[in-house]
Amino acid sequence: MSKTDKEKIELLDIKLDDKTTKIMITCAVIMLAAVLIHDGDHIRQAYNWGYTIPMSLWALNLIVYVLPVVSIFLAKSRRLSATIVCCLGGIVTSLSFVVLHCFGSSSGLNWGIWNFTYFELIQGVWYDPGTGMQFYQGVDTLSWILLFHVPAFCLPCSVISLKKFFDVKKARKQAQK
C-alpha cells in the first residue's frame, strides 16, 4: 500500500467533531428543504394545469433526495465523507434542476410534463399523459423563483461542506507534525 493510499485511509477514518457534524446536518437539511419547496411548486403547477403526476414520476423524483439523506446519515455517523457527499449533493442537485428545467431532459428518464423546458411550458405544449393529448401552459414567476432558489441555497452548502473537508484535512496534517 502506497503512502498516499495510507494517508487517504487515515483521513477518511477521522471522526467529525460536534460542531462540524451539526454544520453538515444543517447543510443537508437546507438542501432537502430547498428540494421539497421546489417539488411543492410542481404540485401547485400540476394542480393548476389539471395534470395528475403519475406514481412512476413520484418514485423517479426520489433520486434528488438521495445525496442529502446519505449526507445526513454519514454526518450522524461522524464520517468525514459526509462533507464530500454534501458538497456533491449541492452541486448535482443545483445543476440537474437548472439543466432539466431550462434545457430539458437528456437522460432519457421520463419526467412527465416536465420533460418540456420551462420556456416551452410558458408558450404551452401538447402532451399525452396517458389519457389523451392535452394542452398545458404556464410557468409563472413563482416557479422561476422556486427553480433558482435551489442553487441559491444548495451551492453555498456545497462550499461550506468543501471548506469543512479542507479544514479537517488541514487540522489532521497539523496534528501529525
Side-chain angles (χ1 to χ4, degrees):
M1 181 180 300
S2 72
K3 182 180 176 186
T4 306
D5 289 341
K6 248 184 187 179
E7 288 173 356
K8 285 178 186 174
I9 290 170
E10 287 174 8
L11 183 65
L12 289 174
D13 212 22
I14 296 171
K15 295 294 183 191
L16 298 177
D17 61 23
D18 287 343
K19 183 179 177 184
T20 305
T21 298
K22 286 178 185 175
I23 289 170
M24 290 299 92
I25 290 172
T26 301
C27 285
V29 168
I30 287 169
M31 289 190 297
L32 284 172
V35 172
L36 282 168
I37 290 167
H38 177 81
D39 284 347
D41 184 54
H42 283 313
I43 294 168
R44 181 186 68 91
Q45 288 172 337
Y47 177 80
N48 288 342
W49 295 333
Y51 176 74
T52 302
I53 301 172
M55 222 29 174
S56 60
L57 184 51
W58 286 107
L60 177 62
N61 194 54
L62 292 175
I63 292 169
V64 297
Y65 295 93
V66 170
L67 290 175
V69 168
V70 168
S71 177
I72 290 171
F73 171 77
L74 292 170
K76 283 188 169 271
S77 302
R78 297 181 175 270
R79 306 295 297 182
L80 180 63
S81 54
T83 59
I84 300 299
V85 173
C86 194
C87 177
L88 290 173
I91 293 167
V92 168
T93 301
S94 297
L95 284 175
S96 62
F97 276 52
V98 172
V99 167
L100 176 66
H101 293 311
C102 290
F103 303 105
S105 175
S106 61
S107 64
L109 298 173
N110 183 6
W111 294 103
I113 190 68
W114 295 282
N115 272 344
F116 295 99
T117 68
Y118 271 19
F119 301 108
E120 293 169 315
L121 289 168
I122 288 170
Q123 302 300 315
V125 297
W126 286 96
Y127 176 71
D128 185 352
T131 58
M133 195 64 77
Q134 296 177 29
F135 186 74
Y136 297 96
Q137 182 180 21
V139 171
D140 57 14
T141 303
L142 180 60
S143 294
W144 283 104
I145 290 169
L146 295 179
L147 167 60
F148 287 107
H149 96 281
V150 172
F153 282 88
C154 291
L155 291 176
C157 291
S158 292
V159 171
I160 291 166
S161 300
L162 192 58
K163 184 182 179 318
K164 288 298 171 190
F165 173 79
F166 286 119
D167 288 350
V168 170
K169 191 173 176 178
K170 182 180 176 182
R172 174 69 176 179
K173 278 191 178 184
Q174 288 175 346
Q176 288 178 338
K177 288 183 181 182

